[in-house]
Amino acid sequence: MRTPEYDLEFLDRAGKTRAWGLALLALAALLWLWGAALVALPYDGCESRLLTEGGTANTGEESGQGCQKARDWPEMVAVFGASIPVTAGGVALFTIGTVTRRIGAYGQAVRELDRQAAKRKD
């Protein structure tokens, strides 16, 4: 038979797992915001890639050189690429923590119902 201390420790571990998942999801959101800023904001005298009118994203009006070379594409790809495993890990940990907490709460409810049923029989 399990002790209440074990149940509390079980729920505490589940809460910590869920918190790590939330932290990773927050980090993933920051990475997505950073990547979105890299795509949407103007850079080195060139218009943004996302909000370009008139095809000036690659010609460059102020710098005199092609904007395609000015944009750091590997940084953008790395930011979005790094967000994928962080997001997957965050979702996994958050889901595991949430399900574990619900299973623990269900187990406690079943044990309480069993205790009440045993008292009624006596």
Side-chain angles (χ1 to χ4, degrees), residues 30-41:
L30 289 175
L31 288 172
W32 275 96
L33 288 173
W34 182 16
L38 289 174
V39 171
L41 297 177

Side-chain angles (χ1 to χ4, degrees), residues 20-75:
W20 273 105
L22 282 174
L24 285 178
L25 287 173
L27 177 61
L30 289 175
L31 288 172
W32 275 96
L33 288 173
W34 182 16
L38 289 174
V39 171
L41 297 177
Y43 58 98
D44 293 337
C46 304
E47 290 187 39
S48 72
R49 285 277 180 199
L50 186 62
L51 308 171
T52 298
E53 291 182 20
T56 59
N58 287 328
T59 57
E61 297 178 16
E62 298 173 13
S63 63
Q65 61 181 350
C67 290
Q68 190 170 8
K69 293 179 183 175
R71 172 56 89 195
D72 189 13
W73 286 105
E75 179 185 8

